[in-house]
Amino acid sequence: MKALVYEGPKDVAVKDVPDARIERPTDVLVRITSTNICGSDLHMYEGRTPMETGRTLGHENLGEVVEAGDGVDRVKVGDRVCLPFNVGCGFCANCERGLTGFCLSVDSDTPGGAYGFAAMGTYAGGQAEYLRVPWADFNCLVLPEDAVEKENDYVMLADIFPTGYHATELAHVSPGESVVVFGAGPVGLMAAYSATLRGASQVFVVDRHPDRLRLAEKSGAVAIDDSAGDHVDQILELTGGGADKGCECVGYQAHDPQGDEEPERTMNDLVASVKATGAIGVVGVFLPQDEGAPTELTKQGKLPFDFGQFWFKGQRIGTGQANVKAYNRHLCKLIEHDRARPSFIVSHELPLDEAAEAYHNFDDRVAGWTKVVLKP
């Protein structure tokens, strides 16, 4: 089968690889019909993670079940399914608590597994023609009858829609509150969209890319361009002293307004932008080690964090990757009943053969490349 293979930093290629197959009775085989390029894929693409060469990328996957193991009961051949990027067993102590992003049964040295992801097990990614799905009865979200018609909406349930929603959950966003989101990439846009769905009275999105800020406005948010460096003052003025809640959707490759990498930038800006006793949800990726970081401290995954101000303001922070299964069924219902259309962020639908060029353009933040859906 054909699959997108990681060859090294900024080097990916579509190649022939061994066919995905059923390996355990609880597996299904899915013919992939949509698979997204995620901002997290770019961390690996840029060589900022311990991603092994030769592995297939892709953790935002949707398709049709074409084969099921003898131990699969609920999922049937022919079902259209969306796969959470987290691989979970469904029965370990963490999965039982709904913390599927930290499954203890996956083939990883640390809690949590994912398709085609560095340091999260050996599971092949879905930027390919076919994907093996373990523990299929648990992991497969069987989609409604309009699955084909709304495929670009439903594929967002694999990661970015639940992850954006998770940011608002970590921040405990409630109706009537003001929310500031740092980052207008796909996850930040979904966080802003989710804040609106949860009834926020004001939503602000901070970024500096005009195409992404336009999408933030399309989601119902107020776009704030931070390139001038006065974004915190703007938020304080527009909210009368600080937003009630904040969402960090950038991560360890944050940059200052001059374009220099400064991993702590968004975290400290959030402390300054959110009012006293407010809460912050952090879903941007931060790593324990990063050899590409700008300082010796940040290479160790440590940030010069404004903890004194954070403590003095009595703020709270929730962190970590989204436990997709905690949200995807409910968010699916919103799509099914036309209450949510997350596909508004999609800029490109491309065949798998054009994936390498798509990675290049998405990584370079070429204008208009906001979300790519590959169609194997």
Side-chain angles (χ1 to χ4, degrees):
M1 69 177 189
K2 300 237 179 245
L4 185 77
V5 175
Y6 176 74
E7 304 272 74
K10 301 207 173 185
D11 184 7
V12 294
V14 176
K15 292 189 168 184
D16 288 314
V17 302
D19 289 345
R21 60 184 178 83
I22 300 289
E23 297 180 15
R24 295 182 179 179
T26 50
D27 294 347
V28 298
L29 188 64
V30 174
R31 177 179 64 85
I32 297 296
T33 56
S34 287
T35 176
N36 305 335
I37 299 177
C38 179
S40 297
D41 290 324
L42 299 184
H43 301 318
M44 293 175 282
Y45 177 73
E46 294 174 2
R48 297 287 289 266
T49 68
M51 187 63 170
E52 307 92 334
T53 58
R55 287 192 63 191
T56 299
L57 292 168
H59 59 272
E60 297 188 12
N61 306 309
L62 179 151
E64 179 184 2
V65 177
V66 294
E67 186 179 349
D70 292 339
V72 178
D73 180 62
R74 181 179 66 89
V75 181
K76 309 298 183 187
V77 171
D79 283 345
R80 293 273 176 166
V81 296
C82 185
L83 295 321
F85 79 88
N86 323 110
V87 176
C89 68
F91 52 78
C92 73
N94 283 346
C95 284
E96 285 181 348
R97 295 164 58 209
L99 304 176
T100 55
F102 303 88
C103 178
L104 301 172
S105 300
V106 292
D107 60 0
S108 172
D109 293 334
T110 57
Y115 302 102
F117 211 93
M120 295 191 73
T122 61
Y123 305 99
Q127 288 170 5
E129 293 179 306
Y130 294 91
L131 177 69
R132 170 197 166 231
V133 178
W135 298 296
D137 275 332
F138 181 70
N139 286 305
C140 291
L141 176 67
V142 178
L143 298 171
E145 292 183 358
D146 60 357
V148 175
E149 174 191 348
K150 297 178 181 176
E151 184 159 323
N152 283 357
D153 291 300
Y154 286 124
V155 72
M156 302 304 163
L157 295 171
D159 181 355
I160 62 165
F161 194 9
T163 295
Y165 193 88
H166 186 54
T168 65
E169 184 74 7
L170 290 172
H172 302 287
V173 172
S174 297
E177 292 187 318
S178 56
V179 181
V180 59
V181 177
F182 275 77
V187 168
L189 292 170
M190 289 295 97
Y193 192 48
S194 297
T196 299
L197 289 172
R198 293 174 71 118
S201 59
Q202 294 177 290
V203 181
F204 307 95
V205 176
V206 181
D207 204 292
R208 67 196 62 148
H209 296 281
D211 54 341
R212 298 184 175 200
L213 290 172
R214 285 193 295 271
L215 282 175
E217 291 175 334
K218 191 173 181 179
S219 78
V222 174
I224 295 181
D225 185 343
D226 73 338
S227 60
D230 63 347
H231 47 287
V232 172
D233 291 336
Q234 290 185 59
I235 295 162
L236 295 177
E237 181 177 353
L238 290 167
T239 58
D244 294 301
K245 303 293 171 62
C247 298
E248 201 291 332
C249 301
V250 179
Y252 72 104
Q253 288 182 269
H255 288 68
D256 66 17
Q258 290 70 46
D260 296 318
E261 189 167 317
E262 191 176 335
E264 69 276 12
R265 164 65 61 170
T266 52
M267 292 297 299
N268 290 334
D269 280 353
L270 275 163
V271 170
S273 302
V274 172
K275 72 177 187 180
T277 73
I280 298 167
V282 182
V283 295
V285 174
F286 288 89
L287 298 180
Q289 297 89 28
D290 174 23
E291 289 303 314
T295 68
E296 288 303 314
L297 186 69
T298 53
K299 285 179 181 179
Q300 302 173 55
K302 299 175 182 178
L303 304 182
F305 179 57
D306 194 357
F307 189 80
Q309 188 71 1
F310 171 73
W311 185 92
F312 195 76
K313 294 176 80 171
Q315 295 171 337
R316 294 163 290 143
I317 287 183
T319 70
Q321 65 171 273
N323 306 295
V324 171
K325 281 189 64 68
Y327 312 114
N328 66 349
R329 190 175 300 278
H330 302 295
L331 298 178
C332 179
K333 290 291 186 183
L334 292 178
I335 294 171
E336 180 184 5
H337 296 290
D338 297 319
R339 298 293 188 179
R341 296 301 297 267
S343 62
F344 76 88
I345 69 171
V346 175
S347 59
H348 294 77
E349 296 179 52
L350 300 171
L352 185 64
D353 287 343
E354 297 182 26
E357 181 183 359
Y359 264 83
H360 173 77
N361 289 326
F362 190 44
D363 184 56
D364 282 355
R365 309 299 193 271
V366 173
W369 287 75
T370 54
K371 187 64 174 177
V372 179
V373 183
L374 301 173
K375 303 285 187 176

